[in-house]
Amino acid sequence: MNALHDEPDAVLDVLGIGFGPSNLALAIAVEEHNAQAAPENRIRAGFLERQPSFGWHRGMLIEDATMQVSFLKDLVTMRNPTSDFSFLCFLRERGRMVDFLNAKTLFPLRIEFHEYFEWAAARVAHLVDYSDEVVSVDPVTGPDGEVRWLDVVSRVPGEPGRTVTRRARNISVAVGLEPHLPPETALSDRIWHNSELVPRVRELNASGGGDAVGRVLVLGAGQSGAEALDYLHRSFPEAEICAIFAKYGYTPADDSPFANRIFDPEAVDVYFRSTPEVKQSLVDYHRSTNYSVVDMDLIESLYATMYREKVQGRERLQLRNVSRIRDVRGFDDHLEVTVEYLPTGEREVISADLLVHATGYRPRDLDTLLGRTAKLCLRDDKDAVRVGRDHRVELTPDVTAGIYLQGATEHTHGLTSTLLSTTAVRSGEILESLIAHRASDLAVSAG
Ligand SMILES: Cc1cc2nc3c(=O)[nH]c(=O)nc-3n(C[C@H](O)[C@H](O)[C@H](O)COP(=O)(O)OP(=O)(O)OC[C@H]3O[C@@H](n4cnc5c(N)ncnc54)[C@H](O)[C@@H]3O)c2cc1C
C-alpha cells in the first residue's frame, strides 16, 4: 500500500522529511513492525525526498573510497540482526557473499554501500515520494485547542508556485547536512565544493576540457580534502594538484577500539545524561574520531606519491601547509588565488584552473524548514532545540503532535548523530516512541 497515494487525505502516523539512510532505516523499521502487527496497530508512514531517486552523497562516490563504518552498522543489524534488509542479505542477493568474505574487510567500498542503500530503498519505494521538496511545516489545531497535527507542505516538481500538503501526527526530520563554504564564496564552473566532485570531473573529462587542466587547488585538511586531492591527481594525469590548509600536516582519524566506543549506542545514553560541560569535553576529546581527520592509509598513500614524485623529479602532488586563501579572482580562462603563508604573512598569487573547497558540511537550518512550527520547539539556554532521549523534540504544552529529529542532534545525542553508527538502533527507538505515544493518545481519547 502506498500511504502517500492510496489515501491522500488520510492522516499519517509519521511523515519523514528527507530520505537518506536515517529515514530509510526508519521506513524499514516501520515495515518490519507492520509485517507482524495487528492491522489496528500498524503505523501509517510516508517519506518525502527532494532528489529524483535515492542518492547518498553521490558527488563523492569515488570508485575506490571505502566506508568509515563497519558493514555491521548497516540499516538494520544493530537493531535486528535477523532482518533481511541487512548488508549481508544484500550481498547474498547479489551473489557476492563469499567474494566479500574473502576480501577480509569490515569496510565495503562506498559505491557498494550506495548500491546496498539503493537496494533497500527500492524495497520500501511504496512509502516514498521522490522529487518532493518540503518547504514548510504548519501546526494544525484540533477542536480542543491542542496542536494535534502537522501539515507538511512541499513543492510540486515542474509546477512553480504549486504546493501539496500532507497531514501527519508526527514528522521525522532527517534532512542531513549541507555543504559549507567560506564566506562570500561563489561556486562556478571553476570553483566547486567537494560534494559535486565526481560528476564535475567526469563532465570535464567527457567534454575534453580535462586535458586543459594545468593546476588544481584543494582547500581543506579533512577526509574529503585528502580524498579529493588523491582523486584529482589520478583524474588529471598531467596537472599539478595542490592542497592548501592551515595545519602543518593531515591528522589521522582515531579509529582505535576504545575511542571507537564513543559511537556505541550506550555512549548516546552517557552523553545524553551528561552536563553541558561534560558533553563539551567528550566532543573535544573525541573530535579526532570524525572531524578534520583522515584515514591513516590515505595519508600514507598521499605521502608515498609525493615522495615518489620527488625522486622522479616531477612533483605534481603539492602541499601548501600553514597557509590560508586570502583572495580569489575569476577570469575567463583561469583563477588567480592569493595564498598567505601564515608564519611570515608572505602572500603569493597562484594561477589555477580549478579550486575545490573541501570545507565541510553544516546542519541545515531547521527553523526555515519548520516555518511556523519552529516556534513550538522549546530551546535550551544556547537557543538549541531541546530533544528527548527518544529523539522527540520537546514542544510547548499545547502540542500533542510530535517532531523527531535525526542528524541535527549532536548537542543532545553526541558525535554519532550525523553518522551511520547508530542509525539502525535510533530508528528502533523512534518507532518505539511512536508506538508508545499512539497508545497513550488512544487511552486519553478512550478515557
Ligand atoms: C562523502 C561522505 C561520506 C560519508 N561517509 C560516512 C561513513 O562512511 N560512515 C558514517 O558513519 N558517516 C559517513 N558520512 C556522514 C553522513 O552524514 C551519513 O553517512 C549519512 O548521510 C546521514 O544520513 P541522513 O539520512 O541523516 O542524511 P543524508 O544522507 O544527508 O540525507 C538527507 C536527505 O534529505 C534530503 N532533503 C534535504 N532537505 C530536504 C527537503 N526540504 N525536502 C525533502 N528532502 C530533503 C536530501 O536530499 C537527502 O537525501 C559521510 C558523509 C559524506 C559527506
Side-chain angles (χ1 to χ4, degrees), residues 18 20-22 49-51 56-57 68 134 174-176 361 418-420:
S22 298
E49 165 58 48
R50 69 177 181 184
Q51 296 186 81
W56 177 67
H57 303 301
Q68 290 172 290
V134 173
V175 289
Y361 297 79
T418 60
L419 303 174
L420 297 173

Side-chain angles (χ1 to χ4, degrees), residues 7 87 98 157 266 280 331 409 411 440:
E7 299 165 84
F87 181 70
V98 173
E266 290 71 25
Q280 189 57 53
F331 297 88
T409 51
H411 60 298
S440 67

Side-chain angles (χ1 to χ4, degrees), residues 223-234:
Q223 180 70 22
S224 296
E227 284 182 12
L229 194 74
D230 186 47
Y231 176 69
L232 290 160
H233 185 261
R234 284 181 283 146

Side-chain angles (χ1 to χ4, degrees), residues 116-313:
Y116 158 63
F117 285 149
E118 280 183 313
W119 166 84
R123 291 180 59 192
V124 290
H126 51 288
L127 299 179
V128 193
D129 268 358
Y130 289 99
S131 295
D132 211 311
E133 181 176 11
V134 173
V135 288
S136 67
V137 180
D138 297 329
V140 184
T141 306
D144 51 5
E146 276 180 355
V147 175
R148 285 198 185 180
W149 306 284
L150 297 169
D151 273 356
V152 175
V153 182
S154 59
R155 277 194 193 125
V156 176
E159 294 182 43
R162 213 162 81 76
T163 57
V164 60
T165 301
R166 293 158 178 110
R167 184 161 294 183
R169 283 288 286 155
N170 302 279
I171 56 172
S172 165
V173 181
V175 289
L177 307 175
E178 63 187 354
H180 172 73
L181 291 163
E184 290 166 41
T185 303
L187 296 177
S188 69
D189 284 348
R190 294 187 181 275
I191 304 178
W192 311 338
H193 185 271
N194 70 272
S195 55
E196 44 176 359
L197 182 72
V198 172
R200 283 285 199 176
V201 168
R202 281 205 189 122
E203 222 171 86
L204 202 56
N205 276 336
S207 69
D211 297 341
V213 174
R215 183 180 291 130
V216 186
L217 306 179
V218 179
L219 176 64
Q223 180 70 22
S224 296
E227 284 182 12
L229 194 74
D230 186 47
Y231 176 69
L232 290 160
H233 185 261
R234 284 181 283 146
S235 303
F236 301 125
E238 299 304 321
E240 279 178 14
I241 315 293
C242 177
I244 301 175
F245 50 73
K247 280 185 172 181
Y248 202 84
Y250 291 109
T251 309
D254 182 357
D255 62 349
S256 58
F258 289 107
N260 214 43
R261 292 168 78 192
I262 197 73
F263 300 127
D264 291 356
E266 290 71 25
V268 178
D269 290 322
V270 171
Y271 189 90
F272 187 81
R273 283 197 304 263
S274 295
T275 60
E277 295 71 31
V278 175
K279 282 190 171 101
Q280 189 57 53
S281 71
L282 283 172
V283 169
D284 292 345
Y285 282 137
H286 296 289
R287 184 163 284 282
S288 65
T289 52
N290 184 37
Y291 287 112
S292 300
V293 289
V294 182
D295 280 350
M296 195 59 181
D297 291 352
L298 181 54
I299 295 179
E300 288 177 344
S301 150
L302 286 171
Y303 191 85
T305 304
M306 270 179 116
Y307 185 68
R308 191 188 64 241
E309 290 186 347
K310 196 166 201 151
V311 171
Q312 291 169 326

